[in-house]
Amino acid sequence: MDAAGQQPTVSALSEGELLARIFPRLAMDAGHTRATLLGPGDDAAVVSAPDGKTVISIDTQVQDQDFRLHWPNGYRTTGFDVGWKAAAQNLSDINAMGATATSLVVSLTLPPATPVAWVEDLADGLTCAIRELGAASCSVAGGDLGRGREISVSVAILGTLDGGQAVLRSGARPGDVLALAGTAGHAAAGLALLESEVPVDRISPEQRVYLDLQCRPRPPLSAGPAARAAGATAMLDVSDGMVRDGRRLAVASSVAVDLDPEQLARLADRLRPAAELLGADPGEWVLGGGEDHGLLATFPAEAPLPPGFTAIGSIQALGNDEGPDVRIAGRSADTGGWDHFAH
């Protein structure tokens, strides 16, 4: 608090003073810093690439586009939430290649009125997600600060394949089994709760699980490397909805993705507590909801699925005059999913 009893904002500090608040919160133990040879403090970080290959991805969260500070149901997004989600969604992209994350860098754009405590919480969310989600070799190597009209958080992440080959979207083959690791529709149910008129303090603990998974997703980070080791032929992160992302796999591999209606019903049944509260169709969340950051992967029919994966469909060859598609009981699935430029 300042002399007037107000929480200080970033405009009250210099860039160096703000960084001095953030850097200690980004410190990781020795097990997380093997790949980061030089961390925050210089013009650039230095990270190792033992096998000569680096897997890289980047993602951005923008206030009022990817998150709100204040939701209709009264929930207030914390810096911890945004930091956790920034780490989780990027860790998931590396996971989807069958790789292991090694380091990340963060760029923050902040309005002058942003409370310093909110930024400190963001740094805590980043490091806590890395630890709790099991990214045992990843650390924050550095970043950048800037001023703008809304909060924006961009994370670029690096990973390693440890000498192996990446699992692409384009390798699915007719006869393969389609399998899911992680949850489906939980984050979408959480988003629906946030956007509802049901006050956050009236949401039961059973329903609160979905809200928490929207704000702090839990991608199954051990599943990606395990799928690669088990011979996965194709894989991708489910960030924009099962149908939209499944169609991306179908297009890349020139196949049809057939989803099993019984398995979809089982996934939808796990969403009943939120669906009954809101009068919603949980099947729509399963098919169209993103941000769970689970994995869709395909495996040869004879290969045992690795732990954490459940078969939810199959890969079929295209018939004459058929294009790549996602089908349920033989019919094209038309659930939209998330598109940044259509919302």
Side-chain angles (χ1 to χ4, degrees):
M1 297 288 182
D2 60 19
Q6 301 294 316
Q7 286 208 1
T9 63
V10 296
S11 64
L13 302 180
S14 68
E15 182 176 346
E17 289 170 332
L18 185 56
L19 289 172
R21 299 281 194 106
I22 295 173
F23 281 170
R25 297 170 181 273
L26 301 179
M28 309 293 283
D29 57 55
H32 285 79
T33 57
R34 293 192 300 270
T36 301
L37 305 179
L38 179 66
D42 280 83
D43 292 312
V46 179
V47 298
S48 63
D51 70 352
K53 290 181 291 190
T54 297
V55 183
I56 184 168
S57 184
I58 189 168
D59 219 323
T60 298
Q61 293 186 81
V62 179
Q63 179 184 339
D64 297 327
Q65 172 65 27
D66 300 290
F67 67 92
R68 303 182 196 176
L69 294 178
H70 305 285
W71 290 91
N73 77 338
Y75 185 83
R76 294 194 171 193
T77 299
T78 65
F80 193 97
D81 292 336
V82 176
W84 179 292
K85 197 166 188 176
Q89 63 190 18
N90 281 275
L91 289 166
S92 184
D93 284 339
I94 297 299
N95 189 41
M97 304 299 290
T100 302
T102 55
S103 58
L104 56 85
V105 292
V106 186
S107 178
L108 295 180
T109 300
L110 302 169
T114 307
V116 172
W118 197 94
V119 184
E120 292 175 332
D121 283 347
L122 185 144
D124 288 342
L126 277 168
T127 54
C128 192
I130 290 170
R131 290 190 181 101
E132 289 194 20
L133 294 175
S137 59
C138 186
S139 63
V140 182
D144 181 56
L145 289 176
R147 173 175 173 153
R149 286 179 292 183
E150 64 271 309
I151 298 171
S152 178
V153 184
S154 293
V155 173
I157 190 165
L158 306 177
T160 179
L161 290 160
D162 294 318
Q165 297 297 316
V167 184
L168 310 182
R169 301 176 179 184
S170 55
R173 301 169 300 195
D176 283 354
V177 172
L178 178 73
L180 173 72
T183 57
H186 288 58
L191 180 61
L193 288 167
L194 289 171
E195 292 181 330
S196 77
E197 296 180 357
V198 180
V200 66
D201 57 6
R202 286 182 48 202
I203 295 174
S204 71
E206 189 179 24
Q207 296 154 351
R208 178 65 187 242
V209 168
Y210 309 117
L211 189 153
D212 290 342
L213 285 173
Q214 163 59 222
C215 297
R216 303 179 189 181
R218 305 191 71 89
L221 296 187
S222 62
R228 177 167 64 89
T233 54
M235 187 159 57
L236 81 170
D237 162 65
V238 186
S239 57
D240 296 328
M242 187 183 297
V243 170
R244 181 175 288 272
D245 287 319
R247 189 165 282 120
R248 288 168 174 154
L249 188 149
V251 169
S253 297
S254 297
V255 295
V257 172
D258 277 6
L259 297 174
D260 183 340
E262 292 186 6
Q263 290 295 339
L264 295 177
R266 291 189 181 96
L267 292 171
D269 195 55
R270 299 173 189 172
L271 304 172
R272 293 287 172 197
E276 291 172 357
L277 176 68
L278 300 177
D281 177 2
E284 290 295 311
W285 291 336
V286 169
L287 295 174
E291 298 192 294
D292 282 274
H293 297 292
L295 295 178
L296 275 181
T298 58
F299 298 88
E302 67 278 6
L305 296 181
F309 280 92
T310 300
I312 63 166
S314 61
I315 303 300
Q316 303 297 327
L318 298 177
N320 295 333
D321 303 321
E322 280 188 323
D325 201 2
V326 176
R327 306 181 302 210
I328 303 172
R331 300 182 64 180
S332 179
D334 58 3
T335 300
W338 177 257
D339 185 317
H340 284 284
F341 296 100
H343 291 78

